[in-house]
Amino acid sequence: MTSPQQPQPQPQPEPHDTAAPGAAAPMPPAGAPEPPAQPPAEQPEPRPLAAHPQPEQPPAQAPVPPQAGPAPQEGGPAREAGTMMLQAQQPPAAAPGKEAGTMMLQAQAAPQGAPLPPQGAPKDAGTMTLQAQQPPAAPPQQPPYQPQQTPQQQAPQPPQQQIPAAWQAAGPGGAAPAYVSPIPVRRTNLGHALASEWTKIRSVRSTLWTLGVMIVLNVGIGLMAAVAIAGLGHPTTVVFGSAWFGLLLGTLCVIPLGVLVISSEYGTGMIRTTFTACPSRGRVLTAKAIVLFGLTFVITTVSTVLVAVLHAGMIDGPAPTADQWLRATLGSGLYVAVLSLLALGAGTLLRHSAGAISAMMGLVLLPMLLAVFMLSSESLRPVAKAMIEYSVPNSLGALYDTAFMPGGPSGWQPLLILVGVTAVVLGGAYAALEKRDV
């Protein structure tokens, strides 16, 4: 065959031949003695006959074409010399890259273990193969050129938030069972609600103004009353008879404070946040009641003790008994504190600041005012007398043994009556708070 596409078979070089790789070795004569068998030398690097450039294609193993002649079976008769074989072989790993489609001529050594032909017979050497060499791997494509941006032109990259390993491990396919927050999680109780309500009541200006004005009225008016009575120079039967005048006006400041403790949250919408943080509404109302009662009781008791000491030191009269001291100090502080809880219950039921304050002012002042106009009627006089006896001003005066109506409650009875009324109102507030929506 003389076509360049189909190369002529070339003789197989002898094992002892040291010719350069790719050079064709002369065929030995048919009757020459066969040299001793040696291990096949390394195959020389094939030399291309013709270059046919082809477009780049992904590297893939070329299919093996069918051989030109029947493959020799092991142990069978020797093939004739110069048999042409077409075979696709992979190039050696260290061979330099060639263009795709290069045709190679390579002398293939006889397989080991094949029986040697008799002396004088043609050998199975010089079998010619056609090898399709794989194209080299395509070099990595370089990204298109982009001009470098100056530090002023580069847009600031937002910081990437690192996902904790616990979050990555948790989840549907994670190894961890669930995410555990690093923040300690504790069950809420009444103490947490008390801390929250104490923060609220001491951080608003209404608390400072109402309690401050109450202290000024109680101590200031009590001091003026003691100075006025001491200036008369006449001894009195009850030393603490005029010590509650300033406290009566001070109750008008405590009532708005009790209403605003809860009604202000309804007005601003803060009550939704409160109930979200503490779903137990009864616990919230209990915490408000405890904080309001404790604050009002302490401030009122301290101011009434100061007024009682001023009256006992400035006014002439019989020395007060222990029961009179307790009712003028501790009893009056408890009475005003319970009255603030009554205002808290009214604010919870009405959920409106102005409406609840107006209702409480009417409860404190209206019975006494109506009874004054009803005394002129003979038929309404018993009703007017009962309204005066159980009114808040008369009950507060009864704690100091100076009631307007002597037939009404006396001693600790006014405090017990107010506690009963407040318990009923607060009970209704608890029930309404649990049933109604915010």
Side-chain angles (χ1 to χ4, degrees):
M1 290 184 288
T2 60
S3 174
Q5 302 297 334
Q6 299 177 357
Q8 296 290 339
Q10 298 179 3
Q12 176 76 17
E14 294 297 332
H16 61 275
D17 191 6
T18 58
M27 292 289 293
E34 182 180 358
Q38 294 183 3
E42 296 182 2
Q43 296 181 1
E45 181 181 359
R47 183 172 57 187
L49 292 181
H52 299 278
Q54 294 182 3
E56 277 188 298
Q57 56 184 3
Q61 184 175 359
V64 179
Q67 297 180 357
Q73 298 181 0
E74 185 176 339
R79 293 174 297 180
E80 294 180 359
T83 303
M84 179 65 67
M85 295 180 62
L86 295 177
Q87 182 179 0
Q89 286 188 346
Q90 296 293 337
K98 302 292 190 304
E99 295 181 356
T102 303
M103 301 300 295
M104 307 294 297
L105 284 179
Q106 181 179 1
Q108 187 176 13
Q112 295 184 5
L116 296 175
Q119 187 173 6
K123 296 181 294 183
D124 192 16
T127 301
M128 303 303 295
T129 61
L130 292 178
Q131 179 180 3
Q133 195 169 12
Q134 296 292 336
Q141 296 183 359
Q142 297 293 337
Y145 172 75
Q146 295 181 356
Q148 296 183 356
Q149 296 180 356
T150 59
Q152 292 78 8
Q153 295 177 354
Q154 293 180 356
Q157 296 293 337
Q160 296 182 357
Q161 185 177 5
Q162 297 294 335
I163 301 178
W167 289 12
Q168 297 178 359
Y179 169 69
V180 179
S181 174
I183 304 175
V185 179
R186 297 177 295 177
R187 293 181 60 88
T188 57
N189 49 38
L190 184 60
H192 299 101
L194 289 174
S196 174
E197 297 303 326
W198 169 246
T199 303
K200 292 178 185 178
I201 199 171
R202 68 182 175 84
S203 59
V204 295
R205 289 176 291 181
S206 60
T207 303
L208 178 63
W209 281 102
T210 53
L211 293 180
V213 172
M214 190 268 291
I215 294 174
V216 171
L217 291 176
N218 188 16
V219 176
I221 295 177
L223 179 60
M224 290 189 295
V227 172
I229 294 174
L232 296 176
H234 300 288
T236 59
T237 57
V238 181
V239 176
F240 299 141
S242 58
W244 60 279
F245 293 161
L247 185 60
L248 179 60
L249 296 177
T251 57
L252 302 180
C253 300
V254 175
I255 288 173
L257 177 62
V259 172
L260 292 174
V261 165
I262 190 169
S263 63
S264 61
E265 294 194 31
Y266 278 103
T268 59
M270 183 66 182
I271 195 67
R272 298 184 181 90
T273 306
T274 301
F275 288 154
T276 301
C278 184
S280 178
R281 301 184 178 185
R283 182 188 300 173
V284 173
L285 185 58
T286 302
K288 290 180 179 294
I290 293 175
V291 171
L292 177 64
F293 179 86
L295 181 62
T296 308
F297 172 75
V298 171
I299 297 298
T300 305
T301 302
V302 170
S303 60
T304 53
V305 167
L306 180 58
V307 172
V309 170
L310 291 176
H311 277 251
M314 297 175 64
I315 299 176
D316 294 335
T321 63
D323 184 64
Q324 289 178 339
W325 273 102
L326 287 177
R327 285 188 282 112
T329 55
L330 183 63
S332 60
L334 289 174
Y335 192 89
V336 175
V338 174
L339 189 62
S340 66
L341 293 182
L342 181 61
L344 175 64
T348 306
L349 290 173
L350 299 179
R351 300 192 298 181
H352 192 270
S353 300
I357 293 174
S358 301
M360 286 301 300
M361 292 297 181
L363 180 64
V364 173
L365 301 177
L366 191 59
M368 180 70 72
L369 296 176
L370 290 177
V372 171
F373 294 100
M374 293 170 62
L375 288 176
S376 58
S377 176
E378 292 292 336
S379 59
L380 297 178
R381 184 170 297 178
V383 178
K385 182 179 179 181
M387 292 175 64
I388 295 174
E389 289 175 354
Y390 291 94
S391 63
V392 173
N394 187 72
S395 299
L396 190 59
L399 291 175
Y400 292 87
D401 295 330
T402 54
F404 294 105
M405 294 289 180
S410 60
W412 294 92
Q413 292 179 356
L415 178 61
L416 298 178
I417 294 173
L418 183 62
V419 169
V421 175
T422 304
V424 173
V425 175
L426 278 179
Y430 275 101
L433 195 63
E434 293 292 341
K435 292 182 178 180
R436 292 185 309 191
D437 196 3
V438 295

